[in-house]
Amino acid sequence: AQSVAQPEDQVNVAEGNPLTVKCTYSVSGNPYLFWYVQYPNRGLQFLLKYITGDNLVKGSYGFEAEFNKSQTSFHLKKPSALVSDSALYFCAVSHNTGGFKTIFGAGTRLFVKA
Amino acid sequence: DTAVSQTPKYLVTQMGNDKSIKCEQNLGHDTMYWYKQDSKKFLKIMFSYNNKELIINETVPNRFSPKSPDKAHLNLHINSLELGDSAVYFCASSHGREYDYGYTFGSGTRLTVV
């Protein structure tokens, strides 16, 4: 069965510092991996995805994510955090087999302090 | 020009009532979804429709009935509401299957059953 784990409930970082939000996954076959962000009282917004190709994927708002097949990880990163990046971040994994669905992680709250 | 719009945004109702949530997308997407987000922010898929046909129907009480009059609309009707139905319900759409291009989410409907 496919699954996705976000080991940290919350990540705290100072503005201007690099940030990492962790995600590991379990899926048989090749994964389709996604990051979404949710601001208060809003729906989730797509940030970036990995399907195939370069292991470093660049997305919206200066975010990037690194796919590591051996570690089954897809960590979200940003070189310099902004206070406005404070939000809830969801990792998601999909698998291209009949009848499957996308599984979301439990979410990680990012708090960027000025 | 909202891409995925849900109405109402807030819904407070008494136990035992029947209520509906409407969703419309103007993106030309052919697949639409309903997700439930609980108080711990955990997201779980409920239903998925592709071109008005039901393709995912998770283990959801049969008090929940989706209806898709056309591929731009996916409504959710809930009968005999229970306290445990209180949650935020998100409508989403995708171009093809979500593992190719990701989801576009609506801003959610916060349902409170009292």
Side-chain angles (χ1 to χ4, degrees):
Chain A
Q2 62 190 48
S3 65
V4 59
Q6 293 180 242
E8 301 153 317
D9 290 336
Q10 181 163 315
V11 169
N12 298 310
V13 64
E15 188 174 34
N17 283 0
L19 69 88
T20 299
V21 182
K22 295 180 181 177
C23 173
T24 59
Y25 65 90
S26 173
V27 68
S28 48
N30 295 321
Y32 295 66
L33 296 158
F34 301 83
W35 277 102
Y36 290 84
V37 59
Q38 185 179 24
Y39 297 101
N41 300 315
R42 302 292 299 275
L44 280 71
Q45 295 178 32
F46 171 82
L47 273 180
L48 50 79
K49 69 178 181 186
Y50 172 84
I51 296 178
T52 187
D54 195 349
N55 289 345
L56 186 64
V57 178
K58 293 190 183 298
S60 306
Y61 312 122
F63 283 93
E64 58 190 27
E66 186 168 12
F67 170 65
N68 187 317
K69 188 173 183 177
S70 63
Q71 296 186 3
T72 61
S73 67
F74 189 57
H75 299 333
L76 181 70
K77 301 181 180 186
K78 187 172 182 180
S80 178
L82 300 172
V83 171
S84 58
D85 292 330
S86 299
L88 188 57
Y89 290 82
F90 289 93
C91 181
V93 62
S94 300
H95 184 212
N96 186 11
T97 54
F100 88 100
K101 57 192 175 293
T102 299
I103 303 294
F104 283 85
T108 297
R109 190 165 298 281
L110 173 66
F111 181 69
V112 181
K113 185 176 180 181
Chain B
D1 58 344
T2 304
V4 180
S5 59
Q6 297 177 228
T7 54
K9 193 172 177 63
Y10 300 97
L11 186 53
V12 181
T13 187
Q14 291 187 330
M15 282 175 52
N17 284 352
D18 303 338
K19 290 293 177 185
S20 292
I21 306 172
K22 295 185 177 181
C23 178
E24 176 181 5
Q25 55 94 5
N26 62 4
L27 298 165
H29 289 171
D30 45 17
T31 310
M32 295 185 72
Y33 312 82
W34 278 109
Y35 269 86
K36 180 180 179 181
Q37 187 176 46
D38 63 23
S39 58
K40 295 185 177 179
K41 305 296 185 184
F42 182 68
L43 273 162
K44 185 173 164 54
I45 191 164
M46 301 174 69
F47 302 104
S48 172
Y49 271 73
N50 179 268
N51 281 321
K52 302 192 298 176
E53 287 192 30
L54 182 65
I55 55 172
I56 291 176
N57 184 357
E58 283 299 286
T59 308
V60 176
N62 58 15
R63 299 181 293 104
F64 290 79
S65 54
K67 288 213 171 27
S68 182
D70 55 60
K71 76 173 193 177
H73 295 83
L74 179 61
N75 304 322
L76 183 65
H77 188 76
I78 316 170
N79 289 327
S80 303
L81 278 154
E82 301 177 357
L83 293 176
D85 297 331
S86 296
V88 181
Y89 292 84
F90 286 103
C91 178
S93 69
S94 67
H95 175 61
R97 290 305 303 270
E98 70 276 23
Y99 49 77
D100 286 325
Y101 300 103
Y103 297 100
T104 300
F105 281 86
S107 56
T109 296
R110 184 175 295 276
L111 172 65
T112 303
V113 183
V114 297

